[in-house]
């Protein structure tokens, strides 16, 4: 156990600090401080010693240098059980510092506020982060409080143990300090290397323990600020698999601007429709695969109304995501106590993706390309009509977000069926046709989208015999001409985009 007899306090965020200061005063702790914090401590009615009385050196360079001094760092880093350290401290008149309460300039917040480059640079903390690291390194003798969120924990410790702390407690504070300092440096690095390609550095706070991972025997957590993206209005705790589906749903819906409803299962769309009427869009989405919809998640880009909510409520689903809900819709949806209801706040997707594999990390730009009319190149004699072009673009958006190998069949802005995650493109197509047939869809006049080129003409032959009249694919196979020739012979239009959308 170590008793706090002296403290260095120098913070940017002072809210909640007053109770700590008064308690330290009550315990007879000598307080050292700097500039604005010193004035604040005096206003609280406590005695305080300016650090200049220790260092005999003023704050210089507009405040850039005020705590970077051997006497301050010596008082923090001195090993109390070291005879040599004690002799050095005595010889140079260095006082012990047992508690360091120091936070960091708000660099991340300043960047987010779109401040000028110079204002951002000035928010790169030098003295503060050095003090934090020094105190955390010497946790055996020093207690470090490095963030405003720790003030309450410190106050409880002061009140419950009258200024004493165990090594285990000091080590826990030190661990948090290094987490804060590493996150701070990572944020600064990303500001300078905005492409993120010079080195891989990522840092996420806000740990969110999950019930389990993909399976019950796997422990799992989510690191990130979920609440900046969603308001959770109702339902059970969100699971690991829920989060994967939510991420897939939001990424998919980002590509649709008109009123759209999608149903996802295991990260793939099993139902999707775009219509002016939201309720009808839901009915058409559900019709695409009412079996797979059971236990899935639903997303729409339109405020959910009472009529649509009543229709949705007829089936079991785990999550519903929308930009908003009417009061009547919420009342209906909340009748299932475990149903997760999320309001999605408009936010652009992050520009990069990464995943750990082997003994390293794969890093790539996110696939943010969404083809438009300008990207379409007709490869066949027959050109698709306007309705077919609309359906081709619609189907291509869906296949972009489907697990490879993937085929999507669509008609009148409705997902008729898809084949996903297959080891061959032919199998994916057959799966889609079988599903469409099972749910009594008429494939005559439907369109087909593929996430990658057709290595042979066999897929085009199968699609043509099923009634498909127009195809969209990236192109790029050495046998493209065989597919084009077959389409010309059978009066089918084929569009090349030149853009592949593999998804693993």
């Amino acid at each position: 156990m170590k008793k706090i007899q002296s403290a260095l306090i120098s913070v940017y965020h002072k809210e909640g600090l007053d109770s700590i200061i008064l308690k330290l005063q009550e315990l007879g702790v000598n307080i050292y401080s700097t500039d604005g914090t010193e004035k604040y401590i005096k206003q609280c009615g406590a005695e305080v010693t300016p650090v200049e009385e220790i260092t005999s050196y003023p704050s210089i360079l507009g405040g850039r240098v005020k705590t970077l001094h051997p006497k301050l760092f010596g008082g923090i880093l001195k090993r109390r059980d070291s005879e040599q350290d004690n002799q050095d401290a005595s010889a140079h008149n260095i006082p012990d510092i047992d508690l360091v309460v120091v936070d960091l300039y708000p660099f991340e917040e300043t960047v987010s506020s779109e401040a000028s480059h110079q204002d951002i640079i000035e928010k790169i903390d030098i003295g503060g982060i050095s003090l934090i690291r020094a105190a955390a390194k010497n946790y055996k003798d020093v207690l470090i409080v490095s963030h405003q969120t720790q003030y309450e924990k410190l106050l409880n410790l002061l009140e419950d143990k009258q200024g004493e702390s165990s090594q285990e407690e000091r080590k826990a504070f030190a661990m948090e300090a290094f987490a804060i300092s590493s996150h701070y440096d990572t944020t600064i690095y990303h500001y300078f290397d905005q492409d993120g390609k010079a080195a891989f550095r990522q840092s996420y706070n806000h740990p969110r323990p999950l019930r389990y991972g993909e399976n019950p025997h796997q422990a799992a957590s989510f690191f990130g600020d979920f609440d900046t993206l969603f308001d959770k209005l109702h339902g059970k705790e969100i699971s690991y698999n829920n989060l994967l589906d939510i991420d897939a749903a939001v990424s998919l819906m980002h590509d649709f601007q008109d009123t759209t409803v999608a149903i996802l299962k295991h990260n793939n769309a099993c139902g999707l429709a775009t219509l002016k009427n939201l309720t009808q869009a839901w009915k058409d989405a559900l019709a695409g695969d009412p079996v797979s919809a059971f236990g899935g998640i639903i997303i729409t880009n339109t405020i959910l109304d009472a009529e649509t909510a009543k229709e949705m409520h007829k089936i079991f689903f785990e999550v519903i995501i929308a930009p908003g809900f009417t009061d009547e819709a919420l009342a209906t949806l909340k009748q299932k106590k475990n149903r997760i209801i999320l309001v999605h706040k408009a936010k652009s997707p992050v520009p990069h993706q990464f995943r750990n594999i082997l003994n390293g990390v794969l890093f790539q730009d996110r696939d943010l390309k969404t083809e438009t009319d300008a990207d379409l190149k007709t490869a066949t004699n027959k050109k698709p009509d306007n309705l077919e072009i609309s359906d081709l673009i619609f189907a291509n958006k869906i296949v972009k977000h489907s697990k490879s190998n993937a085929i999507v069949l669509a008609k009148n802005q409705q997902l008729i069926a898809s084949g996903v995650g297959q080891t061959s493109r032919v199998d994916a197509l057959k799966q889609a046709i079988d599903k469409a047939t099972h749910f009594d869809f008429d494939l005559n006049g439907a369109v087909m989208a593929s996430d990658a080129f057709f290595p042979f003409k066999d897929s085009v032959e199968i699609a043509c015999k099923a009634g498909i009249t127009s195809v969209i694919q990236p192109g790029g196979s050495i046998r493209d001409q065989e597919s084009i020739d077959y389409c010309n012979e059978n009066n089918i239009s084929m569009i090349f985009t030149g853009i592949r959308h593999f998804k693993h």
Side-chain angles (χ1 to χ4, degrees), residues 312-328:
M312 291 177 172
H313 185 63
K314 294 176 181 178
I315 73 164
F316 168 71
F317 58 90
E318 290 207 346
V319 183
I320 173 75
I321 307 167
F325 300 83
T326 66
D327 291 341
E328 295 85 355

Side-chain angles (χ1 to χ4, degrees), residues 9-21 33-44 66 101 103-105 147-148 151:
I9 305 177
S10 180
V11 297
Y12 186 90
H13 300 97
K14 300 174 180 64
E15 298 85 357
L17 191 63
D18 52 347
S19 299
I20 292 171
I21 291 168
S33 192
T34 60
D35 299 340
T37 308
E38 178 192 342
K39 293 177 184 177
Y40 179 82
I41 293 171
K42 287 179 179 177
Q43 291 171 359
C44 291
K66 52 190 172 186
V101 182
D103 62 5
L104 299 170
Y105 291 154
H147 196 273
Q148 186 180 21
Y151 288 175

Side-chain angles (χ1 to χ4, degrees), residues 2 33 40 77 83 95 100 131 169 171 262 319 343 365 371 455:
K2 295 280 185 179
S33 192
Y40 179 82
L77 287 166
E83 183 177 345
V100 175
L131 291 168
E169 288 168 328
K171 186 176 181 180
V319 183
V343 173
D365 295 334
E371 288 82 344

